[in-house]
Amino acid sequence: MVRFQNTGQPDWDWWGRLWPTPGETLRRLGVEAGESLAEVGSGNGYFALPAALITAPGTVYAIDLDEALLAELETLADRQGIDNVDPRCCDARALTDGLPEAVDTVLLANTFHGIDDPAAFAAEAFEALAPGGRFLVVNWQDRPRTETTVMGEPRGPPTELRVSPSETRAVVEDAAPFSTVRRVELPPYHYALCFER
């Protein structure tokens, strides 16, 4: 199993500068109490842990290939008293095989640019969703990397890997019969597209 290209776990110091309130970001995207959510490429839980606080008692499935990061996520969840996170070491390209149930939301944050076959993944995300479920894609704006600086350094994927909102939308909608899309601007350097099954 090979990780998606250029999608490693960011340093929490600069990540916190971009996403000082990840829970509020998730609420803006429509994440609510009682729903089930699968975060693909969860790493050590920067979004999965706040998602679990919002969705409780609904389950958050933290999907990643890195067992060490998932172990760190479990430790952080224990320290914070979060008991509705279910870490799963599995390949996102076989998401339906890695989940025990269809979920209300699939979240893909800062990873779309690195997927080798984004259309196949979008189709897999569609199959992993319950009817009426949402596929949330959070992505870096398609700006030169030199313009997306944090703490004085360029951050994010290489310029040539960045995908515009229109390109992302076209790939996802061509891959699966999602019915609705909503765009949310996430300053300073991100956007989100919210697709509905």
Side-chain angles (χ1 to χ4, degrees):
M1 294 186 290
V2 180
R3 290 187 67 89
F4 296 147
Q5 183 179 203
N6 202 273
T7 58
Q9 176 68 45
D11 178 274
W12 279 46
D13 287 340
W14 71 263
W15 207 228
R17 302 282 179 107
L18 282 176
W19 307 103
T21 55
E24 183 55 35
T25 298
L26 294 168
R27 285 186 184 91
R28 284 187 63 200
L29 300 180
V31 176
E32 298 177 342
E35 69 180 51
S36 57
L37 181 145
E39 186 195 358
V40 174
S42 65
N44 57 8
Y46 196 84
F47 283 102
L49 295 172
L53 292 172
I54 295 168
T55 65
T59 302
V60 170
Y61 299 99
I63 309 295
D64 208 287
L65 288 175
D66 191 322
E67 293 184 29
L69 288 175
L70 290 175
E72 188 177 336
L73 181 152
E74 284 191 281
T75 299
L76 292 169
D78 287 344
R79 284 185 194 154
Q80 295 176 39
I82 298 172
D83 61 5
N84 60 320
V85 174
D86 183 348
R88 295 191 166 244
C89 187
C90 64
D91 194 323
R93 289 159 279 220
L95 186 59
T96 53
D97 293 337
L99 292 172
E101 62 177 338
V103 295
D104 298 310
T105 301
V106 171
L107 170 65
L108 182 71
N110 306 293
T111 306
F112 193 82
H113 63 270
I115 299 175
D116 50 357
D117 187 348
F121 175 75
E124 185 72 10
F126 183 86
E127 294 303 320
L129 286 168
R134 294 178 316 256
F135 179 33
L136 307 178
V137 179
V138 176
N139 219 356
W140 288 84
Q141 295 281 4
D142 58 332
R143 295 167 55 183
R145 188 172 192 265
T146 54
E147 294 180 8
T148 56
T149 59
V150 181
M151 299 169 63
E153 295 289 329
R155 301 291 183 175
T159 303
E160 64 273 12
L161 290 182
R162 298 185 184 215
V163 186
S164 72
S166 60
E167 291 171 314
T168 300
R169 182 174 182 167
V171 168
V172 172
E173 291 182 340
D174 287 348
F178 287 101
S179 62
T180 310
V181 68
R182 177 173 62 101
R183 179 172 168 175
V184 179
E185 296 301 324
L186 300 172
Y189 304 134
H190 290 78
Y191 65 89
L193 294 179
C194 308
F195 301 92
E196 187 174 313
R197 180 172 186 197

